Each structure stands twice: as C-alpha cells, then as structure tokens.
Amino acid sequence: MKSLPLPAILFFLPTIALAQPAAGDPATIVVTGAGLDLPPGTPAYGSVVIDRQRLQDSASGRIESVLGDVAGFQQFRRSDSRSANPSAQGATLRALGGNASSRTLVLLDGVPMADPFFGYIPFSALVPDRLSVVRVTRGGGIGAFGAGAVAGTIELASATRDQLPGFAASAFYGSRDSTEVSASITPDLGNGYVSLSGRWDRGDGFQTTPSDQRVAATVPAAYDGWSTNLRAVAPISATSEVQFRATLFEDKRTLRFAGADNSSQGQDASIRYIDRGRWQVDALAYVQVRNFSNIVISSSTFRRTLDQRNTPSTGIGGKIELRPPVGEAHVLRVGVDSRFASGDMFEDAYNANSANNPATFRRHAGGQQWTRGVFVEDDWTPGGPDGRLVLTGGLRADRWSISDGFYRQVSATSGVGTSSDYADRSDWEVSGRAGALYRANDAIALRGAAYSGFRLPTLNELYRPFVVFPITTQANDALTPEKLKGAEIGIDLTPLPGISLSATGFINRLDDAVANVTLTATTRQRRNIDRIVAKGVELTADATLGALRLSASYAYSRSRVHAPGEAFDGLTPAQSPRHAASATIAYSPSQGPTLSTTLRYVAKQYEDDLQSDVLPRAITVDAIARLPLAGDVTLVARGENLLDETVVTRNAGGSMDLGTPRTLWIGVSFGS
C-alpha cells in the first residue's frame, strides 16, 4: 500500500485559518458545513432518506450496500466494490436497464461523482462514516447538474461538525485475512473546523469462480484500497461560510485469474460558498483527476490478451445557484452549471496463443464532452409557509457538445496503423419537471409529479470497446443522448407518531436508451434502442417504537424494451429484476448492546438483451452488533450474507462469477 500523502493535504490548513473572521466580530456565527435548506417542494418527488445511524450500521461498511436499502437501486452487476470491475459500477433506479454507466446522478455535497470517462461511481471512496445523510430520489431530476439524472438522483451529504467526534478510530479483522482500519480527527479551528479522515482495507478475497469452473490460474478476488478525505469549513460572516473538500483514493483488485489486475485512482477537490442571508447563494467549483488500468487474461491460455494500461481523465465543473427573496410563499431557485470531461484510453493487445505472448496492436482513443445548463425552479406554497398545498416546477436548458473523438490502432510489429476521427456534435436539450404535494391532514399527504431529462453517452460508451470473456463489446461513436419522460403519483401516511408508510406508482419511458446489443454469440455493441418503458410500484415503511426501529422497502418494476424488428423487442432489459425488497430491524437502546439485521431479496434478472443468460434470484441476510466496553470503546461484530447464499453476479453462456459469500468481522471502534 502506498503511504497516505497527509503532508500534502495539511498544506491546505493555513488557508482555512486565513478565512476566519476578524477578532471581536460581534456577529453570532454558526457553522453547519451543510448546504442550503431543501425547498418545500422536495417531498413531491417521493424521496427516500437514509440517516446517519443506518449509514454506520452497515455490515459491509460500504455505501453501495447501504443504498440497497432503497429497493430498485442497482448497479450494472450485483458485486460490491471489493470484487467488481470498477468500470461496471454504474448506478441506476427503476429497472431502466443496465450498462456500465450510471443513469443516476450521484452528488456528494453538490458535486457530481461519476468518473469523467467511464461514468461509474467510485463507491470505495465514499465511506459511510463520513456522511450525514443520503437522499435517494427515484425519477428524473432537474436543478443543478440535472443533465444525467434520467433514473433519479442520489444526494450524499458530508457529516456536520456536531456529528463528528474530535477523534474516532476503528479496526476490524474478517474472513479470508481481511482487514479494515479507519481513523478521523476533527479539531475546531477558530469558528470553523477541519476534519481529516482515512480508511485502508484489504483482503485475500473469495473465489468468484464456481468450483466446477476453476482452473490452475483461478485465484480469489483480492483487493487492496485506501482513501483519505480532508474537509474544512470556515465562516466568512454571520450568514455565510466556505467549505473545502479534497479526496484521494486508490483501489486495486484482482478478478478471476492470476494477473487479471485492475486499479483505479482519483484526486478530487471542491470548494463551495454558502450564504444563508436574504439572498441565498450556493456556489461551487470542482476538479477531478482520475485514472484506471485493467489487464484481461485469456480464459483458455491464461496469458495476457489485453492491457488497458492507462485511462487518464479529467472532470471540471461548477455551479452558481441564487435564491432571491420573493416572499414567504415562494422559494425561487435560478442558476447555471457546467461540466467538462475529457479522457484518453491507452491499451495494448497481445497474442495470448503464443508462448512469447507478444504485443499485436497498440490503441489510443478519447474525446471530450461539455454540458452547460441554465435552470429555474420555484416552489409555491399558496397558503404561506404553513400551507397544506405546495406546487413546484422547474425548467432547464442545456447546450451539450461531443468533440475531438478519435480512435487509433497501430500494429506492434509492422508499425502500420489505422486512424478514425469522429465528427464533432452539439445540440440543445430542454427538460423540466412539475409536482404537487397536498397535506390533507397530519396523517395523509398526496403527491404527484411529471418530469423529463437526458443523459449524454459517456466517452467510454462512445470510444472504448471491452472484453469480458467470451464476449467482446464494441464502442459506438454515433450514440445519441438518452431522453426520459416520466410521471408518478404517491401517498405518504403517518398513522401514528413514529410510523410512516409510503406508496408510489410510476411510469418511465427512456427513449434512445444505450444498451449492449447482441450481434453474434461472442460480440455485442453499444447501440441506441428505440425505448425502454418501465412501470411499477414502490413501497416503503418506517417505524420507531422506543429502542426498536423497523424499515422496509419493496419495488415492483415491469420493464420492457420496444425495438421493432430486433430479436429483443418486448423482452426485459438486461440487469433489470422485476422484484426487489429490503427490510431492517434495529434495536438501539440509549445504553447497552445494539443489534441490526437486514434482509434483502432480488428476483432473477438477465445478463443479456436476449434473455439467454439468467442470474437467479438471491436472498441475503446481514447483521451488526455493538457491545459498549470501557469509556468510548465498543466491540463490534459484523456478518455479511450469513446464510451463505450463492449470488450469481455474471453469467455469459454458463461462465459465471459469484458475489460475496458468508463473511464475518470482529473489531473495535473508538469515538470521543
């Protein structure tokens, strides 16, 4: 493991001190470290909230597992960030079909987290202990960075000062020689604070290959990763503050065969200005520097067949949102945002059938994308702040461009090459949403919403082919943006204090959906298909009964592909289960031991567009128990997949990968 570059991070601390107000400032300063308050119309879109307690009670300690509490959340494959190829970790909702890119906009403190080249989410760098709350909104999004939220939005907020102990640490040892160590320190600095945290985890890994398919070259899915995060918040005035965040991470994994190693790296930084005065302001800027490498091993000769040795990418963006004072009945939001992404792929192909394993071709591909948007949204409460009816509506216009796309291939032996330069493209997209929330009384609230949205194909989808034996998936530079239209209605019930129930019915239509389309038995290509239509029902329930808390989520999604003339017309999109459910029971008294148990169910789904490769249904049970010891020391036991369910994560003509088997952890945590 590389040493954490803490000195480089600490370099920034003096700049925070300089931002402190002058001594003797009579204004009362309260630093929150949070963003602006949510507009009153937010509940009209049926969000699900995961609180900090639940984030800390994950048996795996991974954010993607916690997001599984929201039925309908899925990645391209069922693997978590210890055994999945990072480039396959796109997030989506509502069974809109899977490819590796994220159809859901994932934000951390307002910053889009998707990789600039691939569009996947770096889940291993998003540590639950660093978060305050997660809000999942299923359905098209608008507002800042709304381009890309075709399946919804997942908003992650960093933990605030009151949630962070001055010092915290934990250490765990688990099955298959796995270790996980984390620590954080959060000192006050003037009227602000700084929080520095880090986590390192590694493990020998489990066998992702079924026992009857293993060969001499088969190895467990070993992993080794670290991340470190610096967050600093400093007041500027009684109503405004500046927030700075920097995250560094590296993640190494081995998949299936010896030598099939991949690595992902990132260096992210953002600065945000919040003003809660009469004219409220939320302005931020960010930069992301990412890289990815991957070695593909032949499943017949077990020699290197492809070395995707370098995929550097850069993301730069920002937004300015204003909330002018327009009276108590309205919360008006106006703003602009911009996202720029560029990336290159460098890879070498090898002759795996030769004992010398010589290089055959060297390839270089890449391009750029730019999205610039302007948005306006208003939440109107006709009866004033305490009114029962809230109407909300928004509109945004985006100018997008795809440029400088190219693909080069040169023979490693003769030097003869081929070259393709792709035409630049640009256009405008207009999207919007509208919703209504009516609180009939304290126990019943009715809501409805309609929305539209779009997502640009990623540079990965446009220019990078990939191989997962025995399938080669080709890129497609001619891909056009996906466009979503959708509507939903819902009801929220609070029959008794501490008990809440929610039901939502929805219909979503994704036109020009990007899918991996089968061309031959061993070849697929990314293509726009006519449309995917998903209809369904989502149910959630929460109950707090003293020290006992129960929560549950269920999603029924009937999703169909409309592609006249194609073999998959009328079939279910790949990676789209019809049923998904999650239930958690937690016992958390004010003193003494605590226990939390989670059951999850996902119905069968299909690996491919032709429904020829089935991923069987799976039921898993996780649990975590805490026993307070002396002082602030707690003994913690965690268990993943306690029933040792066989979870098939990939099936290509019978060649399978498996998900996490039973995994047990024991450790201690300290917080003061």
Side-chain angles (χ1 to χ4, degrees), residues 53 545-548 586-595 626-628 631 634:
Q53 182 62 52
L545 308 171
L548 189 66
Y587 177 70
S588 303
S590 57
Q591 294 182 341
T594 66
L595 176 66
R626 300 179 186 273
L627 177 63
T634 302

Side-chain angles (χ1 to χ4, degrees), residues 513-529:
V514 177
N516 297 334
V517 174
T518 298
L519 305 181
T520 69
T522 59
T523 306
R524 295 176 186 157
Q525 185 184 44
R526 299 184 182 100
R527 289 187 177 180
N528 291 109
I529 59 177

Side-chain angles (χ1 to χ4, degrees), residues 170-353:
S170 65
F172 290 90
Y173 181 80
S175 304
R176 298 171 292 277
D177 198 25
S178 301
T179 56
E180 177 190 307
V181 180
S182 65
S184 67
I185 182 170
T186 307
D188 293 325
L189 188 62
N191 287 323
Y193 68 91
V194 174
S195 183
L196 180 63
S197 61
R199 183 170 85 166
W200 169 57
D201 57 356
R202 64 152 306 280
D204 290 345
F206 60 91
Q207 288 283 0
T208 61
T209 308
S211 57
D212 60 350
Q213 297 181 12
R214 295 173 195 166
V215 296
T218 304
V219 296
Y223 65 95
D224 190 338
W226 61 265
S227 67
T228 186
N229 186 78
L230 171 72
R231 189 160 191 262
V233 180
I236 295 177
S237 71
T239 61
S240 63
E241 63 188 49
V242 63
Q243 305 169 6
F244 172 80
R245 180 176 59 83
T247 300
L248 309 178
F249 66 89
E250 183 175 48
D251 193 344
K252 297 179 179 180
R253 309 176 198 175
T254 299
L255 303 180
R256 198 174 179 95
F257 297 121
D261 302 326
N262 67 67
S263 173
S264 58
Q265 301 174 338
Q267 301 89 42
D268 294 3
S270 65
I271 188 166
R272 189 182 195 185
Y273 171 77
I274 297 290
D275 193 326
R276 298 179 177 85
R278 189 164 178 267
W279 277 77
Q280 296 187 28
V281 180
D282 183 351
L284 69 83
Y286 70 87
V287 60
Q288 298 162 333
V289 180
R290 307 278 180 86
N291 205 341
F292 174 78
S293 63
N294 182 51
I295 296 175
V296 180
I297 299 296
S298 167
S299 63
S300 56
T301 65
F302 311 111
R303 300 188 186 101
R304 181 173 46 178
T305 184
L306 188 67
D307 184 356
Q308 297 164 331
R309 53 186 171 82
N310 196 20
T311 316
S313 63
T314 301
I316 301 173
K319 77 161 187 178
I320 299 176
E321 177 185 324
L322 303 178
R323 298 185 184 181
V326 290
E328 290 187 342
H330 290 269
V331 174
L332 178 64
R333 304 165 60 199
V334 294
V336 295
D337 60 62
S338 179
R339 281 189 286 177
F340 172 79
S342 66
D344 292 83
M345 173 206 74
F346 298 89
E347 69 177 24
D348 299 332
Y350 291 83
N351 181 358
N353 295 317

Side-chain angles (χ1 to χ4, degrees), residues 308 345 347 407 460 463-467 472-475 526:
Q308 297 164 331
M345 173 206 74
E347 69 177 24
Y407 184 88
N460 174 56
Y463 307 126
R464 172 186 170 265
F466 70 94
V467 179
T472 297
T473 301
Q474 302 172 348
R526 299 184 182 100

Side-chain angles (χ1 to χ4, degrees), residues 14-205:
T15 65
I16 306 300
L18 293 176
Q20 303 305 309
D25 188 342
T28 299
I29 295 176
V30 178
V31 172
T32 70
L36 296 178
D37 291 340
L38 294 171
T42 300
Y45 301 104
S47 300
V48 178
V49 175
I50 303 173
D51 62 21
R52 180 166 172 79
Q53 182 62 52
R54 176 60 188 134
L55 288 167
Q56 294 180 307
D57 281 344
S58 165
S60 69
R62 297 185 173 271
I63 188 64
E64 65 270 27
S65 298
V66 183
L67 290 172
D69 285 5
V70 181
F73 167 81
Q74 64 180 102
Q75 301 177 79
F76 180 53
R77 291 199 168 92
R78 297 171 174 178
S79 307
D80 67 24
S81 56
R82 290 166 292 192
S83 60
N85 189 302
S87 64
Q89 293 195 269
T92 193
L93 296 160
R94 287 189 167 168
L96 285 173
N99 64 40
S101 300
S102 185
R103 285 193 168 118
T104 301
L105 177 64
V106 179
L107 303 171
L108 174 58
D109 297 330
V111 176
M113 293 305 297
D115 183 87
F117 185 90
F118 292 93
Y120 71 84
I121 308 301
F123 286 116
S124 62
L126 303 175
V127 180
D129 287 351
R130 298 175 188 165
L131 301 177
S132 169
V133 68
V134 175
R135 177 179 295 272
V136 180
T137 303
R138 296 174 283 199
I142 202 71
F145 303 118
V150 294
T153 305
I154 298 174
E155 299 168 272
L156 297 85
S158 292
T160 54
R161 180 64 187 94
D162 60 306
Q163 297 171 325
L164 296 169
F167 174 76
S170 65
F172 290 90
Y173 181 80
S175 304
R176 298 171 292 277
D177 198 25
S178 301
T179 56
E180 177 190 307
V181 180
S182 65
S184 67
I185 182 170
T186 307
D188 293 325
L189 188 62
N191 287 323
Y193 68 91
V194 174
S195 183
L196 180 63
S197 61
R199 183 170 85 166
W200 169 57
D201 57 356
R202 64 152 306 280
D204 290 345

